[in-house]
Amino acid sequence: MTAANDHKRILVLGGGTAGWMAANLMVRAWGKRGFEITLVESPDIGIIGVGEGSTPMLKTFMTSIGLDEADWMPACNATYKLGIRFDNWSTMPGFLRYFHPFPAQLDDLTSPPFYSNCRARRNGLDVEGHPDHFFLNTYMAEHKLSPFAGENFPFTTLYGYHFDSGLLGEFLGRLARQRGVRHVQARVTEATVDRSGNISAVIDDSGRALEADYFVDCTGFRSMLLQQTLGEPFVAFRDNLFNNAAVVFPTPRPAEIAPQTISTALQNGWAWTIPLTSRIGNGYVYSSAYTSADAAERELREFTGVGDAADVEARHLQMKVGRVAEHWKGNVVGVGLSQGFIEPLEATALLLVQLTIQGFIRALDDDNFGTGGRDAFNDDINARFDAVRDYIVAHYVVNSRSDTEYWQDNANNNKVSQSLFDVISTWTSGQDLTEELERQQIENFYPPMSWHCLLAGYGIYPAKAGLQARDTRMHQGKLAEIREFIRRCSLNYAPHMDVLDAQAGSGSV
Ligand SMILES: Cc1cc2nc3c(=O)[nH]c(=O)nc-3n(C[C@H](O)[C@H](O)[C@H](O)COP(=O)(O)OP(=O)(O)OC[C@H]3O[C@@H](n4cnc5c(N)ncnc54)[C@H](O)[C@@H]3O)c2cc1C
C-alpha cells in the first residue's frame, strides 16, 4: 500500500446498486484529491435486479451526491413512500392490518397519546391501541397524498422511495462516469493476496492485473473478495429468519398510486406490492423448507390475480441471509449483498449499503488512511445489521397465524436474541417500552414509534374481553380530536399523482 496522504487507488468490484453507490460516494469524497476510482463489473454476470424500496436515508444519499429528486426520480420510474402497510400478519380481531409510517414532525403531538394508550391497554384498560389512528403519514398514504405541503405549512415529514433498481443502477453509473470514475467491463477470475493478507490486484479473464490500494467488494452474494478470497466467515441468520428464496414479476399499475409498500403475509412468507410509475413490482419472499418454487409462484400468481397468464414471466431468486463477521478486513471492505443481507421486509439493504460506505470513508479520513478506525467501524456495522435483524424477526415471532406450519414454527421460535426477548417482555409485562429501548441503546436504529407500531399493530394486548372499560365519552372525544387534527393537517399536502406528473412533465416539482 502507498503511504498516508499519497494518491490512492480504489477499486470497486461490482456494478450493481451497491457498487455504483460506493463509486459515487467515493468520487464525491476523494475525487478532488485526485484519487483514482475504478469500477470493474462483468456484464455477463449481471446484477440481481431487485430491490425497489428504500428508507428515508436514500434521500440523504441523493443529497450527499448533489442530486435533486427531479434529476433522478423520473429516470428511475420512482414514486414516494410514506411507509409500509402490513396485511394479514396478525389474526387478532381489529388488527388484521396496520401501517408502519416513516416519522413526521407532527408525530410529536400524536405519538404521546398513542404510547400512553398502548401502555394503558397493555395494563388492562380498554382504550384505542391501534397505531393507524395516530400518525399523519398513515392517513396520507391511505389518501394517496405526497409528502409535500405548501410553504404556509412548514412541517416536515420523512419519506422514502420506490424505484426500478436496474434504472437506478444505470443512472448512478452514468453519473459516476461523468464525475471521473473509470469503468472497466471485465470478468474477474482471481485476486492476488500479499504477505500481509491484503489484496494487491484482481486479475480479469484476459489475464490483466488491476492493482489498487483498497478494494470494495460489491460482487453480490458471491462476495468474491471478502468471503471467497480472504475467507471472511459468514454469520447466517437462518435460525430466526427462515426465508431464503423469492419469486418476482411485474404487473400493470393502477391509474392512482398510493405512496406505500404493501407487505401481505401469505402461506409460507410474504408478498411485496411496490408501485412504480411504470408498473407494480410484486415479489413473494418465502422459505424453501416449507414450500417449493413452483408452489410459491402459483401462490403469488393467485394473490396478484394474474393466474396462469403466459405473458407474465416469473424470476426465481435465492437469498443468503446473514452477515459477515467483519465487513472491513485488511484493505477490503464488503458493501451490499457481499457483506450480508437481511430479508427485504423493511427495505433496509440500501440503507446498510450507504451507512457502510459512509462509515468506511469517515474511518479512513479520520485516521489518515490508517486502520485505527477499523474495529469501531466493524462493531458499528454489525450492531446495525443485528438491530435490523431483530426488528424484522419480531414481525415473525409475534405473529398469531396458525394456518401453516411455517407460521406456527415462526411463532414458536425461541432462538431470538436477548435484546429482542427483553423488548417483547417489556411490552407484554406492561412496562415502559421507550425506556427499555433507551436502556439497550437501540432507539436510534428503530425508534420507539416503530416498535410501538409493530407490537400494537399486531394487537399484542390482553384479551379484549378482560379489559376494563374507560370513560368512553372522554376517550372517544380525544380520539376524534386526534383524527380531526390529522385530517386537517393532511389538507395541506399535494396529491401524490400531481407531484409525480409534475416531475415527469417539467423535470421539477
Ligand atoms: C428478493 C430481494 C428483494 C430485495 N428488496 C430490496 C428492497 O426492497 N430494498 C432494498 O434496499 N434492497 C432490497 N434488496 C437488496 C438489493 O437488491 C441489493 O442490496 C442491491 O441490489 C445491491 O446489490 P449488489 O450491488 O450488492 O449486488 P448485485 O446487484 O448482485 O451486483 C453484483 C455485481 O458484481 C458483479 N460481479 C460479480 N462477480 C464478478 C466478477 N467475478 N467479476 C466482475 N464483476 C463481478 C456483477 O456483474 C454485478 O455488477 C432485495 C434483495 C432481494 C434478493
Side-chain angles (χ1 to χ4, degrees):
M1 270 196 275
T2 50
N5 287 329
D6 279 351
H7 165 261
K8 302 276 182 226
R9 297 160 303 167
I10 322 267
L11 189 143
V12 178
L13 182 57
T17 319
W20 287 117
M21 282 176 76
N24 273 289
L25 285 173
M26 287 176 170
V27 77
R28 192 83 177 172
W30 293 325
K32 280 198 196 109
R33 290 165 70 179
F35 288 14
E36 195 181 301
I37 300 178
T38 304
L39 184 142
V40 183
E41 61 152 341
S42 161
D44 301 342
I45 295 176
I47 62 167
I48 189 146
V50 282
E52 303 184 326
S54 87
T55 68
M57 276 296 281
L58 194 65
K59 184 172 169 60
T60 68
F61 165 77
M62 294 296 179
T63 307
S64 70
I65 60 168
L67 287 182
D68 288 333
E69 285 164 0
D71 297 331
W72 72 271
M73 283 185 68
C76 301
N77 298 335
T79 66
Y80 290 96
K81 171 178 173 186
L82 298 179
I84 306 176
R85 199 180 87 190
F86 288 85
D87 288 6
N88 299 340
W89 289 75
S90 170
T91 55
M92 301 287 183
F95 295 89
L96 305 184
R97 166 189 288 189
Y98 78 97
F99 194 79
H100 176 201
F102 293 133
Q105 214 175 347
L106 289 163
D107 296 349
D108 288 350
L109 299 174
T110 57
S111 51
F114 171 53
Y115 298 165
S116 143
N117 274 17
C118 288
R119 185 131 186 230
R121 188 163 173 143
R122 288 188 280 132
N123 283 289
L125 279 184
D126 190 6
V127 292
E128 183 53 75
H130 197 297
D132 286 5
H133 301 287
F134 295 90
F135 294 98
L136 178 62
N137 271 345
T138 305
Y139 186 94
M140 302 228 297
E142 194 184 340
H143 291 84
K144 302 188 176 74
L145 296 172
S146 76
F148 302 108
E151 274 173 17
N152 58 340
F153 196 76
F155 300 100
T156 52
T157 177
L158 293 187
Y159 57 85
Y161 308 99
H162 305 116
F163 45 83
D164 180 317
S165 65
L167 294 178
L168 180 65
E170 284 170 24
F171 184 90
L172 293 175
R174 279 194 300 278
L175 189 75
R177 288 191 293 274
Q178 280 162 17
R179 293 178 173 181
V181 172
R182 186 162 74 103
H183 183 202
V184 176
Q185 292 191 313
R187 186 181 188 119
V188 167
T189 50
E190 59 179 309
T192 51
V193 181
D194 67 20
R195 280 215 207 120
S196 59
N198 287 323
I199 290 186
S200 47
V202 293
I203 318 290
D204 73 13
D205 50 7
S206 69
R208 172 176 49 165
L210 297 152
E211 293 181 349
D213 302 302
Y214 291 95
F215 291 84
V216 185
D217 184 347
C218 298
T219 55
F221 285 128
R222 281 179 177 77
S223 195
M224 184 176 180
L225 303 181
L226 192 58
Q227 291 182 54
Q228 284 187 38
T229 307
L230 297 187
E232 182 56 26
F234 186 76
V235 182
F237 291 165
R238 72 172 81 83
D239 274 356
N240 45 32
L241 286 174
F242 301 168
N243 297 340
N244 60 355
V247 51
V248 302
F249 55 74
T251 50
R253 79 155 168 93
E256 295 266 323
I257 300 174
Q260 64 184 7
T261 297
I262 302 175
S263 153
T264 308
L266 298 182
Q267 284 174 23
N268 295 292
W270 60 276
W272 75 71
T273 308
I274 290 188
L276 309 186
T277 56
S278 52
R279 60 172 162 82
I280 297 282
N282 307 284
Y284 181 11
V285 179
Y286 63 92
S287 166
S288 63
Y290 294 82
T291 189
S292 67
D294 282 352
E297 182 177 332
R298 267 199 310 280
E299 201 183 342
L300 185 64
R301 283 178 174 274
E302 204 173 298
F303 171 69
T304 53
V306 302
D308 294 335
D311 59 336
V312 174
E313 215 175 298
R315 231 165 31 97
H316 289 265
L317 302 158
Q318 302 301 311
M319 307 185 310
K320 188 174 161 192
V321 175
R323 62 162 170 78
V324 289
E326 294 195 330
H327 307 261
W328 174 5
K329 181 171 187 169
N331 63 342
V332 175
V333 65
V335 178
L337 299 174
S338 73
Q339 71 181 135
F341 179 56
I342 305 170
E343 63 139 283
L345 187 56
E346 290 279 343
T348 43
L350 296 187
L351 161 79
L352 292 166
V353 163
Q354 182 181 348
L355 293 171
T356 302
I357 308 161
Q358 288 171 335
F360 182 66
I361 291 173
R362 203 168 35 245
L364 285 180
D365 278 344
D366 286 355
D367 195 41
N368 216 1
F369 286 80
T371 52
R374 189 164 63 199
D375 290 350
F377 166 86
N378 282 324
D379 289 349
D380 178 52
I381 302 300
N382 280 341
R384 289 176 191 278
F385 261 83
D386 295 354
V388 171
R389 176 201 61 201
D390 282 354
Y391 187 69
I392 289 179
V393 170
H395 292 75
Y396 292 97
V397 291
V398 301
N399 96 81
S400 52
R401 293 176 62 126
S402 56
D403 52 328
T404 60
E405 215 181 322
Y406 170 88
W407 288 108
Q408 290 166 14
D409 287 354
N410 268 297
N412 294 330
N413 174 19
N414 57 11
K415 294 188 180 147
V416 301
S417 70
Q418 188 64 44
S419 161
L420 178 57
F421 180 84
D422 289 346
V423 168
I424 295 174
S425 305
T426 300
W427 178 270
T428 50
S429 62
Q431 296 168 64
D432 190 322
L433 184 64
T434 303
E435 233 172 67
E436 174 60 17
L437 299 173
E438 284 167 5
R439 182 191 72 75
Q440 292 195 30
Q441 299 182 352
I442 54 173
E443 78 282 9
N444 290 334
F445 301 131
Y446 275 98
M449 190 261 258
S450 293
W451 282 104
H452 277 87
C453 282
L454 195 172
L455 296 166
Y458 277 70
I460 314 292
Y461 289 118
K464 174 91 174 157
L467 295 177
Q468 198 185 321
R470 191 82 198 269
D471 175 349
T472 312
R473 268 183 42 203
M474 196 174 93
H475 179 58
Q476 290 302 341
K478 280 193 180 149
L479 261 186
E481 263 175 41
I482 291 172
R483 280 201 200 109
E484 184 56 8
F485 171 73
I486 288 175
R487 188 191 69 79
R488 281 168 169 266
C489 289
S490 78
L491 297 175
N492 293 286
Y493 292 84
H496 188 212
M497 287 313 296
D498 287 4
V499 173
L500 296 178
D501 288 345
Q503 258 180 9
S506 70
S508 64
V509 183

